[in-house]
Amino acid sequence: MRVLVLLGAPGAGKGTQAHILARHLGLPRVATGDLFRAAVREGTPLGTAAQAYMERGELVPDEITVGMLLERLAADDAARGAILDGFPRTRSQAAALDRALAERGAAVEAALYVDVPADELLARLSGRWLCEAAGHTYHETAYPPRVPGICDVDGSRLVQRDDDRPEVVRARLEKQLGALAEVVEHYRAAGILQAVDGRRPIAAVTNDLLDSIEPVPYWRTHP
Ligand code: AP5
């Protein structure tokens, strides 16, 4: 079982990279933010419980988040592993993941930390557009779609997220960066942290991430 964890501040590029790595490595991308947003759309009790925290830019409590993630990891398509995008976000989530994997005779292979300074994150999130069908990510100036408002990959409509309003973005950065630092430390102490410079262009970040987990550089197979 191959489990890779993508770490980064809100807007660092976790989702962008997780989609690419998932295709390249043939593993499902499991994103707790997407699971919560789907639950909110469907109006489930879990969605109702999570919504207020998300609107305030706070982390959803571990009691809700851990069970949801472990249930998703138990699905058939994750039997060979997964790329975790946005989980773990607290030290106790990281410990719960370690325990759950150990019960299956597995462990996190690497924690890939996409490092972007705080001053760039606000600009990234306020210009972000996502496709309705699969969450493919664009930026209105840095990475615009070929046709405005339409996803290059699947042709679906592009939308903005409710929590990308400037005041919620500021709250997310204020309230979540401390916990991120603790999770980074958890994986550094375990000797499996791989940090890359997330300010570089998307393809360069992908190359750096793949170089840190695979012996063959990405550009050799994708000239
Ligand atoms: P979640 O959906 O996980 O949001 P997030 O962590 O805030 O991260 P984002 O999705 O906003 O950013 P990203 O790093 O994926 O960046 P992206 O690739 O889109 O979580 C939402 C909420 O759910 C949380 O606030 C919390 O309430 C709750 N939640 C989720 N997981 C939880 C958990 N485990 N525990 C508790 N609560 C949880 O890129 C951003 C923009 O930058 C895009 O426009 C993109 O085109 C652009 N971009 C990407 N890479 C580059 C680059 N290299 N150069 C220039 N621009 C780039």
Side-chain angles (χ1 to χ4, degrees):
M1 185 177 197
R2 184 169 203 196
V3 176
L4 297 164
V5 163
L6 261 176
L7 302 177
K14 301 180 297 295
T16 302
Q17 296 298 333
H19 277 286
I20 301 171
L21 294 184
R23 275 200 304 273
H24 183 76
L25 300 174
L27 291 171
R29 163 180 168 268
V30 172
T32 36
D34 286 0
L35 295 174
F36 283 134
R37 280 184 289 279
V40 170
R41 274 196 305 277
E42 288 157 17
T44 65
L46 189 136
T48 309
Q51 188 168 19
Y53 296 97
M54 296 170 79
E55 282 171 356
R56 290 196 298 265
E58 293 171 10
L59 291 174
V60 178
D62 291 345
E63 306 84 80
I64 301 174
T65 308
V66 172
M68 176 187 75
L69 183 277
L70 295 183
E71 195 182 315
R72 174 65 187 86
L73 260 192
D76 288 348
D77 69 331
R80 287 180 45 247
I83 299 187
L84 302 187
D85 167 3
F87 187 97
R89 296 275 257 270
T90 64
R91 213 186 262 280
S92 109
Q93 289 180 14
L97 178 63
D98 289 345
R99 282 194 301 274
L101 291 177
E103 278 169 20
R104 297 162 75 168
V108 173
E109 175 183 317
L112 309 173
Y113 175 34
V114 182
D115 191 6
V116 174
D119 54 3
E120 197 170 323
L121 300 169
L122 186 62
R124 283 196 185 185
L125 289 174
S126 51
R128 171 167 64 180
W129 290 83
L130 298 147
C131 87
E132 264 182 335
H136 296 119
T137 310
Y138 300 86
H139 189 276
E140 58 193 20
T141 52
Y143 292 99
R146 283 194 293 271
V147 178
I150 303 292
C151 178
D152 292 352
V153 183
D154 56 37
S156 71
R157 202 167 63 101
L158 300 185
V159 294
Q160 284 194 295
R161 261 170 50 178
D162 287 345
D163 62 352
D164 280 349
R165 295 192 309 278
E167 67 277 17
V168 187
V169 169
R170 270 190 286 273
R172 284 158 67 196
L173 297 177
E174 237 167 64
K175 293 174 182 177
Q176 298 186 18
L177 292 185
L180 170 67
E182 289 186 8
V183 175
V184 167
E185 217 28 67
H186 174 90
Y187 289 115
R188 197 193 307 279
I192 54 170
L193 184 76
Q194 299 286 350
V196 302
D197 182 354
R199 290 169 303 183
R200 285 159 39 82
I202 290 174
V205 176
T206 305
N207 269 332
D208 290 349
L209 291 173
L210 287 171
D211 280 353
S212 72
I213 53 170
E214 287 192 329
V216 182
Y218 186 53
W219 54 263
R220 275 199 209 144
T221 52
H222 294 74

